[in-house]
Amino acid sequence: MTLDRFYPVVPDADWVERLLAWGARLIQLRIKDCPEPALRAQIERAKGACAAAGAQLVVNDHWQLALDTGCDFVHLGQEDLAGADMGALRRAGIRIGISTHDHAELDRALAEAPDYVALGPIYPTQLKQMPWAPQGLARIGEWKRLVGARPLVAIGGLTVARADLCLGAGADCVAVVGDIMRHPDPSRQTGAWLAATRP
């Protein structure tokens, strides 16, 4: 499997639609603290928008809703991995990405034969409290050797310049949150990311 190298992570379907219009083709929908009916509506709307654009939607955490709504890709953190019905996801043909932060988590992730592995935070990030120190570029090369042919996603504190360094260090894909979400001109910044990640 190959992934688009530009992987924005966004909090709602509005952002999904904006990123699609600006050229993104791989988007993670990461919604926290939302009532189930509203969450389902957001997922269904994002799914429809991605299907119309020929793009890939990845649903973060909410694997049961991904199953219920016919989505085909989920991203699981280590906490979510513990409660997810991996057999049901596999039987439904849903692809799975898994977050990792240390060797024990990587071993646990690889035991599930994920479709991609994410490593982070590569750089310091202000978006959420992290109990792990920044991984750094050298860890990307180490992780890539361990995950083999499956795609490796770098995430955490990335800018356009840092994304280029991550790709050079062995990442197959670079995930971004704050450098677009918090940018004063997110459309222009998306263009910069696309120019940097697509040959």
Side-chain angles (χ1 to χ4, degrees), residues 75 97-101 116-120 143 151-155:
H75 179 94
I98 299 177
S99 293
T100 65
H101 308 89
Y116 77 72
V117 168
L119 170 67
W143 247 234
L152 175 64
V153 176
I155 188 170

Side-chain angles (χ1 to χ4, degrees), residues 6 10 27 32 37 50 52-53 73 83 86 88-89 102 105 110 113 116 118 123 136 138 143 150 163 165 169 192:
F6 172 56
V10 301
I27 303 175
K32 304 292 184 182
C50 285
F73 216 134
M86 302 299 281
L89 291 171
D102 58 32
E105 291 187 353
L110 292 178
Y116 77 72
Y123 294 93
W143 247 234
R150 62 173 51 85
L165 294 173

Side-chain angles (χ1 to χ4, degrees), residues 16-102:
V16 170
E17 290 169 352
R18 286 185 205 119
L19 267 295
L20 291 170
W22 299 336
R25 290 298 174 263
L26 172 67
I27 303 175
Q28 184 181 131
L29 182 64
R30 182 164 72 187
I31 301 177
K32 304 292 184 182
D33 304 318
C34 181
E36 195 273 347
L39 179 59
R40 179 184 293 268
Q42 287 279 318
I43 291 172
E44 289 178 338
R45 181 176 152 202
K47 179 190 172 209
C50 285
Q56 177 64 62
L57 177 69
V58 181
V59 176
N60 180 278
D61 292 356
H62 303 288
W63 61 270
Q64 185 65 63
L65 275 175
L67 270 172
D68 294 347
T69 56
C71 293
D72 61 2
F73 216 134
V74 298
H75 179 94
L76 300 174
Q78 291 286 318
E79 300 84 4
D80 310 294
L81 191 57
D85 187 338
M86 302 299 281
L89 291 171
R90 291 299 186 196
R91 286 191 296 275
I94 295 178
R95 290 174 288 176
I96 300 166
I98 299 177
S99 293
T100 65
H101 308 89
D102 58 32

Side-chain angles (χ1 to χ4, degrees), residues 127-145:
L127 289 175
K128 58 181 179 178
Q129 290 294 106
M130 287 285 195
W132 305 276
Q135 304 282 353
L137 294 173
R139 182 61 67 91
I140 292 176
E142 177 188 359
W143 247 234
K144 185 57 187 172
R145 288 189 294 274

